[in-house]
């Protein structure tokens, strides 16, 4: 897979040279199990002070120490947490702790270790060819297998079943080579991630007993023992895991570690996550990302929201992307040269987010009002954090003659700034919002509109909104 890649963290341009077991042995290669690779490479990163789990934000003092301990102990594990807490993202980072290249018997369906093949085909080839047994090199990216557990998942999907094509070719049903291997044996000598484990039917969960305890598989009553080398990690939601008891007790007992994830506790981490994950088609200032981060936290604390289902980090990510989309729409409709999001774009995207939040039964019909209220609280808190203590009398002075300032999701920056004119103190607002002296009109308009909205929410100016148009005026 991608032998020409050379980006950091991806495949080197070339894999190691040995092409046979004899050459591999002569080169001094030593075989390690998957868990030994994970342990050794994690130890090396920790000792060097390197980032062991790139892209994971806000878990440094909570989740990651527990995860590191479990990996060093060689434990299969369950990541337990509400939706949108980064469980899948964390699970996918584990593959980066494997050796970059790993040798396997050429053509083996279950990626046998050339030194100790376990499938019938490879054992026969090893006995026949000896040191001439051909090997291939597998990149670590190809050693990660992920399966979303669904109620219709079968034992055949995970473990294996009889292959009717091989039977039709003349092999007898008793021949182990008629077996079609499932996802777990095909993940041999790699990491197998099982998303939403509780959704597996109980009889299917039973099929994982041997994988976790005896490290082998059984298929359709065959006298077939395949000692697998698989690191198994699963994710689960606490609601399914504890309240409904959807993971059977013997299977829970076979996992070595259960690690609880959580929503981010620090506001700066929430903002950093948004900046990292959101694909923004327009410029969205840090002050607006802070508003969205506070908005998400307000939802997680609100009694109007069903906290058992949680408020996913994907909520704020989708909101940031929608806000950027609203800014790009304004630029396209008005001919603006640069698309810069403003605080008015936040309200414009609220209806698109309703489906991402589960409300309590008593809030039926009030969902939009709840979101509006919590968003205003988030804007006001960000205003106090960013612009608190700043002299904004220059903005309130704009309205002393009774004139209003009109804005909206289709009002271009140049029109908004023309209505404001020269405002004393605007440069300090720009500085507080991390804009420099070279700020463009879109950025200046974004800063000015944020100041106006904050003044309104702190009851220093008035505001009327009708049909997508907002007019700020004297209180």
């Amino acid at each position: 897979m991608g032998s020409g890649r050379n980006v950091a963290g991806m495949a080197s341009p070339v894999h190691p040279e040995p092409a046979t077991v004899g050459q591999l042995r002569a080169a001094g290669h030593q075989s390690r199990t998957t868990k030994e690779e994970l342990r050794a490479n994690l130890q090396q990163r920790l000792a060097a002070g390197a980032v062991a789990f790139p892209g994971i934000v806000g878990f440094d003092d909570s989740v990651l120490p527990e995860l590191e301990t479990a990996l060093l102990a060689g434990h299969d594990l369950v990541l337990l947490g509400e939706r949108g807490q980064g469980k899948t993202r964390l699970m996918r980072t584990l593959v980066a702790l494997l050796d970059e290249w790993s040798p396997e018997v050429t053509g083996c369906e279950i990626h046998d270790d050339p030194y100790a093949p376990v499938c019938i085909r490879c054992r026969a080839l090893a006995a026949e060819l000896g040191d001439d047994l051909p090997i291939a090199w597998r990149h670590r990216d190809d050693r990660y297998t992920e399966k979303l557990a669904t109620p219709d998942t079968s034992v055949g999907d995970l473990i294996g079943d009889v292959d009717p094509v091989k039977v039709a070719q003349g092999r007898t049903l008793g021949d182990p080579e008629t077996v079609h291997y499932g996802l777990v044996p095909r993940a041999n000598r790699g990491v197998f991630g099982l998303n939403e484990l509780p959704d597996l039917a109980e009889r299917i969960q039973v099929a994982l007993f041997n994988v976790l305890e005896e490290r082998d598989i059984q298929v359709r009553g065959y006298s077939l023992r395949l000692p697998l080398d698989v690191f198994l990690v699963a994710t689960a939601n606490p609601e399914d895991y504890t309240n409904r008891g959807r993971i059977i007790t013997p299977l829970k007992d076979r996992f070595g570690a259960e690690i609880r994830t959580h929503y981010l506790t620090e506001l700066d981490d929430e903002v950093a996550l948004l900046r990292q994950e959101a694909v923004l088609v327009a410029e969205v200032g840090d002050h607006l990302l802070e508003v969205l981060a506070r908005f998400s936290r307000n939802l997680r604390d609100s009694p109007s929201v069903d906290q058992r289902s949680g408020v996913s980090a994907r909520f704020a990510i989708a909101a940031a992307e929608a806000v950027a989309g609203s800014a790009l729409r304004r630029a396209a409709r008005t001919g603006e040269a640069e698309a810069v999001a403003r605080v008015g774009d936040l309200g414009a995207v609220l209806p698109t987010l309703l489906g991402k939040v589960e409300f309590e039964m008593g809030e039926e019909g009030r969902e939009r009002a709840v979101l509006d209220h919590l968003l205003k609280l988030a804007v006001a808190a960000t205003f106090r954090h960013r612009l608190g203590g700043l002299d904004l009398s220059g903005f309130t002075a704009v309205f002393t003659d009774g004139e209003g300032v009109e804005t909206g999701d289709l009002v271009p920056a140049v029109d908004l700034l023309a209505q404001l004119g020269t405002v004393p103190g605007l440069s300090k607002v720009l500085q507080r919002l991390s804009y420099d002296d070279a700020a463009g009109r879109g950025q200046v308009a974004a800063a000015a509109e944020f100041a106006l909205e904050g003044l309104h929410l702190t009851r220093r100016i008035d505001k009327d909104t009708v049909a997508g148009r907002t007019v700020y005026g004297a209180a």
Side-chain angles (χ1 to χ4, degrees), residues 2-238:
S3 61
R5 294 170 296 175
N6 54 14
V7 181
M10 301 187 74
S12 299
V14 293
H15 58 67
E17 290 297 333
T20 66
V21 169
Q23 294 173 4
L24 187 67
R25 190 174 288 113
H29 176 84
Q30 294 185 347
S31 181
R32 296 189 294 187
T33 67
T34 300
K35 290 182 178 180
E36 287 171 346
E37 285 183 41
L38 292 170
R39 179 186 299 119
N41 291 329
L42 177 57
Q43 280 182 282
Q44 186 177 17
R45 290 197 186 189
L46 294 177
V51 176
F53 306 97
I56 302 301
V57 176
F59 286 174
D60 290 352
D61 300 321
S62 54
V63 176
L64 295 189
E66 296 178 1
L67 178 59
E68 290 163 0
T69 299
L71 291 173
L72 294 173
H75 287 163
D76 298 292
L77 55 94
V78 174
L79 297 173
L80 184 63
E82 282 84 8
R83 61 177 180 165
Q85 290 186 347
K87 300 186 297 296
T88 301
R89 176 66 176 268
L90 186 56
M91 184 168 68
R92 290 172 179 172
T93 64
L94 298 180
V95 71
L97 293 174
L98 295 173
D99 294 340
E100 183 172 16
W101 291 100
S102 174
E104 63 180 37
V105 179
T106 300
C108 181
E109 291 183 78
I110 61 171
H111 314 291
D112 267 343
D113 182 346
Y115 290 162
V118 297
C119 77
I120 293 174
R121 168 193 174 272
C122 293
R123 290 207 306 267
L125 279 176
E128 177 186 350
L129 300 176
D131 282 352
D132 291 329
L133 180 69
I135 64 171
W137 290 89
R138 188 180 179 207
H139 190 256
R140 62 182 165 217
D141 289 349
D142 300 322
R143 297 173 64 192
Y144 176 75
T145 304
E146 185 177 304
K147 168 65 177 171
L148 175 62
T150 55
D152 63 342
T153 301
S154 68
V155 174
D157 294 333
L158 288 181
I159 307 301
D161 207 340
V162 174
D163 187 339
V165 175
K166 292 179 179 178
V167 174
Q169 289 173 345
R171 292 189 175 95
T172 65
L173 282 174
D175 185 346
E177 289 200 54
T178 62
V179 171
H180 173 77
Y181 295 114
L183 289 172
V184 174
R186 288 175 182 272
N188 187 33
R189 302 178 65 231
V191 176
F192 185 77
L194 191 56
N195 250 329
E196 308 299 340
L197 175 57
D199 285 341
L200 275 186
E202 292 185 1
R203 64 183 182 84
I204 311 302
Q205 294 183 33
V206 171
L208 295 174
F209 283 5
N210 272 34
V211 174
L212 283 168
E213 192 67 28
E214 288 77 20
R215 317 308 301 187
D216 68 3
I217 63 166
Q218 298 173 359
V219 179
R220 288 270 184 171
Y222 278 92
S223 178
L224 174 67
R225 178 177 172 82
L226 287 179
L228 295 179
D229 173 20
V230 176
F231 178 74
L232 185 61
V233 55
T235 70
N237 185 291

Side-chain angles (χ1 to χ4, degrees), residues 213 271 289 412 440:
E213 192 67 28
V271 175
L289 294 183

Side-chain angles (χ1 to χ4, degrees), residues 146-366:
E146 185 177 304
K147 168 65 177 171
L148 175 62
T150 55
D152 63 342
T153 301
S154 68
V155 174
D157 294 333
L158 288 181
I159 307 301
D161 207 340
V162 174
D163 187 339
V165 175
K166 292 179 179 178
V167 174
Q169 289 173 345
R171 292 189 175 95
T172 65
L173 282 174
D175 185 346
E177 289 200 54
T178 62
V179 171
H180 173 77
Y181 295 114
L183 289 172
V184 174
R186 288 175 182 272
N188 187 33
R189 302 178 65 231
V191 176
F192 185 77
L194 191 56
N195 250 329
E196 308 299 340
L197 175 57
D199 285 341
L200 275 186
E202 292 185 1
R203 64 183 182 84
I204 311 302
Q205 294 183 33
V206 171
L208 295 174
F209 283 5
N210 272 34
V211 174
L212 283 168
E213 192 67 28
E214 288 77 20
R215 317 308 301 187
D216 68 3
I217 63 166
Q218 298 173 359
V219 179
R220 288 270 184 171
Y222 278 92
S223 178
L224 174 67
R225 178 177 172 82
L226 287 179
L228 295 179
D229 173 20
V230 176
F231 178 74
L232 185 61
V233 55
T235 70
N237 185 291
E239 171 92 0
D240 299 331
Y241 193 81
T242 55
N243 295 353
R244 296 208 296 266
R246 294 284 298 281
I247 299 182
I248 58 179
T249 303
L251 184 58
K252 287 193 286 185
D253 183 56
R254 281 167 165 79
F255 280 100
E258 175 186 295
I259 299 174
R260 287 296 302 256
T261 58
H262 56 79
Y263 291 118
L264 299 181
T265 57
E266 299 297 327
L267 185 66
D268 289 345
D269 287 338
E270 295 257 14
V271 175
L273 182 68
L274 288 177
R275 185 63 73 189
Q276 172 182 289
E277 298 296 325
V279 180
L280 303 177
V281 295
E283 181 181 334
V284 180
D286 283 344
H287 64 290
L288 294 183
L289 294 183
E290 181 179 333
V291 169
L292 293 174
R294 291 182 185 275
F295 185 30
S296 296
R297 295 160 79 86
N298 289 347
L299 286 166
R300 291 173 190 147
D301 294 336
S302 173
S304 299
V305 175
D306 182 359
Q307 300 303 331
R308 292 170 300 178
S309 66
V311 178
S312 168
R314 286 182 286 270
F315 174 89
I317 292 170
E321 292 172 344
V323 166
S326 177
L328 186 61
R329 173 177 176 266
R330 176 172 55 251
R333 292 284 298 271
T334 63
E336 285 184 299
E338 54 181 349
V340 181
R342 307 201 297 253
V343 70
D345 293 311
L346 296 169
V349 303
L350 279 185
T352 68
L353 304 173
L354 283 171
K356 289 185 171 292
V357 181
E358 298 289 335
F359 292 88
E360 294 288 356
M361 294 291 290
E363 300 298 336
E364 187 174 353
R366 294 189 60 252

